Amino acid sequence: LGTLYRGRDTLLGREVAVKVMAAGFQGEEAAKARFFREAKAAARLQHANIITVFELGEHDEVPFIVTELLRGHSLAERLRNGPALTLAEKLNAGIQLCAGLEAAHAQGLVHRDVKPENVWLCPDGTVKLLDFGLATAASASATFVDILASPSYLSPEQIAGGTVDGRADVYSVGAVLYEMLTGKCPFEAESPTGVMLKIVNEAPAPITEGDVPQALTA
């Protein structure tokens, strides 16, 4: 929905990231609502494993979000381009991701879009959860907007349109951890529809390859 810029807060003398709504979405009320929802949801959460929002506003009717500037790369990029994560790094990422989600759930928010693209790996080892654009109140019903999320990480409840709470995020974390451990998603098919059908109707293949501890394969 937006273009990300590296900027400087001239008052406090710090570098920041400025996300500006893309021109093609500026006239769409639904897109604008999601843009503001992302900022407001994240701004409610003060946690080491969630990106920090500094400001939300509009300039010439163009919405923008100012956040901390993160160094490093997304988990998706790391999985795609390497270097390979060690088992300790994978588990550490999963633990920090769960800590951030626990804080969100404690505030009554469900992220609904946990995927490697929204998990940021900082150079110091800190993991940050990004993009709360689909976040909603806990126990809200899933809607078709959830399909905007990557289907490989959707919970069965999101696909079926059922009631969604924090457990949907826990499912998505499991899918991310499965991919980190095996190099592939729990369910794969030739189309998004095929993936969603497998999520609803099948169990993931057991993890049998690599040196994954038995405690993680159960």
Side-chain angles (χ1 to χ4, degrees):
L1 292 179
T3 302
L4 196 63
Y5 295 93
R6 176 180 171 184
R8 173 169 290 277
D9 182 334
T10 57
L11 182 62
L12 297 177
R14 62 185 175 188
E15 287 190 306
V16 296
V18 184
K19 185 176 181 179
V20 179
M21 175 171 275
F25 291 101
Q26 289 170 18
E28 298 184 15
E29 289 304 315
K32 188 174 182 179
R34 180 187 171 186
F35 193 87
F36 280 120
R37 184 167 63 244
E38 173 186 351
K40 291 177 180 179
R44 287 173 53 184
L45 307 171
Q46 299 296 318
H47 192 275
N49 299 120
I50 297 175
I51 190 168
T52 301
V53 173
F54 295 140
E55 185 180 355
L56 167 65
E58 290 186 75
H59 179 72
D60 292 338
E61 298 186 352
V62 178
F64 66 85
I65 304 170
V66 182
T67 71
E68 62 178 317
L69 180 66
L70 298 178
R71 310 290 182 181
H73 45 259
S74 70
L75 175 60
E77 182 181 347
R78 181 68 178 271
L79 293 176
R80 184 169 55 248
N81 300 323
L85 293 163
T86 65
L87 179 60
E89 288 173 328
K90 295 171 185 176
L91 296 180
N92 180 52
I95 290 169
Q96 292 192 57
L97 183 55
C98 286
L101 286 169
E102 182 181 32
H105 297 164
Q107 293 296 317
L109 283 175
V110 181
H111 189 281
R112 295 201 305 173
D113 196 15
V114 178
K115 57 186 179 182
E117 288 81 1
N118 288 337
V119 178
W120 195 263
L121 306 180
C122 300
D124 66 356
T126 302
V127 174
K128 296 272 188 176
L129 182 60
L130 315 179
D131 196 352
F132 280 76
L134 292 184
T136 188
S139 299
S141 295
T143 65
F144 193 71
V145 73
D146 287 355
I147 306 305
L148 291 171
S150 298
S152 296
Y153 310 96
L154 290 176
S155 68
E157 292 77 17
Q158 287 172 284
I159 294 171
T163 299
V164 172
D165 58 26
R167 290 172 292 183
D169 287 339
V170 174
Y171 178 95
S172 299
V173 171
V176 172
L177 185 58
Y178 186 102
E179 183 177 0
M180 283 195 288
L181 293 171
T182 67
K184 57 186 178 183
C185 294
F187 300 100
E188 296 182 336
E190 294 182 358
S191 68
T193 301
V195 171
M196 289 187 284
L197 285 172
K198 286 188 174 184
I199 290 174
V200 172
N201 297 304
E202 299 181 13
I207 300 175
T208 57
E209 46 193 71
D211 56 349
V212 181
Q214 186 176 2
L216 287 174
T217 64

